[in-house]
Amino acid sequence: MEKVIVGILFLSVLSGSVAQTDMKGKAFIFPQESSTAYVSLIPKVRKSLQNFTLCIKAFTDLTRPYSIFSYSTRTKDNEILLFVEKRGEYMLYVGNSGVSFKAPTNHFDPVHICVNWESVSGIAEFWLNGKAFGRKGLKKGYVVGGDAKIILGQEQDSFGGKFDVKQSFVGEIWDVSLWNHVVPIKEVHDSCNNGNIINWQALIHEDSGYVVTKPKLWT
């Protein structure tokens, strides 16, 4: 399976539709509200997940709800979803079930979010800017599907689409990594560039609509 994916990616890169980029020091900018602007992330390998660690950095001045990271399968639109209901209230979905974490932030500061989830216990752990904001349980015993569409900038209400402009992200996203195991958060707080599913320093991605890549403004 991995060889097939690599072959497909190689052909896609040659055609110019997909790029593999070392994004270290760079950020995706989503300059305006839109239902057409997004970045598709192609995983290095496609496999089911019994555990994961997701880390991402972002800046926005939005006050309405918005999606930060959307991982959808053909059977679950919110297979993994990191979503902000309102400033200081984060939702983590696994297999279409969600839990909320209250994590107050300074007004319009950039954020560094890391979440862990493990199937055996169902425990999800949420960290913001290096500080833990508790653990909650969801989808104990569940396995996250591996055949996924992974999108930054929009929230998927169907596999790879059905975007709502009022849930779109406006701002900047950088340092995105996804691992297929639980990584101690303290180990990845200073660097979240090297996930074995999504790796920011070898990022395979496709931009759609009005998305701009620029040097990042924050660490």
Side-chain angles (χ1 to χ4, degrees), residues 30-69:
F30 302 86
Q32 62 187 27
E33 188 172 88
S34 167
S35 62
T36 58
Y38 61 94
V39 176
S40 297
L41 306 182
I42 293 86
K44 295 175 67 177
V45 295
R46 294 188 185 273
K47 58 173 63 178
S48 300
L49 305 177
Q50 293 185 338
N51 311 280
F52 67 80
T53 296
L54 169 66
C55 285
I56 189 167
K57 296 180 182 179
F59 169 81
T60 184
D61 58 7
L62 289 172
T63 56
R64 60 162 172 77
Y66 58 90
S67 172
I68 299 179
F69 180 93

Side-chain angles (χ1 to χ4, degrees), residues 37 105 158:
T105 60
S158 65

Side-chain angles (χ1 to χ4, degrees), residues 46-168:
R46 294 188 185 273
K47 58 173 63 178
S48 300
L49 305 177
Q50 293 185 338
N51 311 280
F52 67 80
T53 296
L54 169 66
C55 285
I56 189 167
K57 296 180 182 179
F59 169 81
T60 184
D61 58 7
L62 289 172
T63 56
R64 60 162 172 77
Y66 58 90
S67 172
I68 299 179
F69 180 93
S70 177
Y71 178 117
S72 174
T73 62
R74 296 183 188 278
T75 58
K76 299 285 195 303
D77 55 343
N78 295 333
E79 189 73 276
I80 302 173
L81 174 65
L82 186 58
F83 191 86
V84 177
E85 291 285 353
K86 59 185 178 181
R87 184 158 293 277
E89 183 175 341
Y90 296 83
M91 294 291 301
L92 173 66
Y93 290 84
V94 176
N96 281 5
S97 295
V99 291
S100 66
F101 293 90
K102 302 293 197 309
T105 60
N106 292 329
H107 199 54
F108 301 141
D109 278 353
V111 293
H112 181 183
I113 302 166
C114 288
V115 293
N116 282 334
W117 175 81
E118 61 178 18
S119 175
V120 65
S121 66
I123 292 298
E125 183 176 335
F126 185 92
W127 289 66
L128 182 73
N129 298 334
K131 182 178 180 181
F133 283 91
R135 290 175 282 197
K136 295 186 178 181
L138 75 165
K139 302 298 282 189
K140 181 179 178 180
Y142 185 71
V143 177
V144 172
D147 184 16
K149 296 282 190 182
I150 305 175
I151 286 180
L152 305 177
Q154 302 287 342
E155 194 270 314
Q156 302 174 76
D157 284 329
S158 65
F159 186 63
K162 201 174 180 181
F163 305 139
D164 181 349
V165 66
K166 292 303 180 183
Q167 294 180 334
S168 66

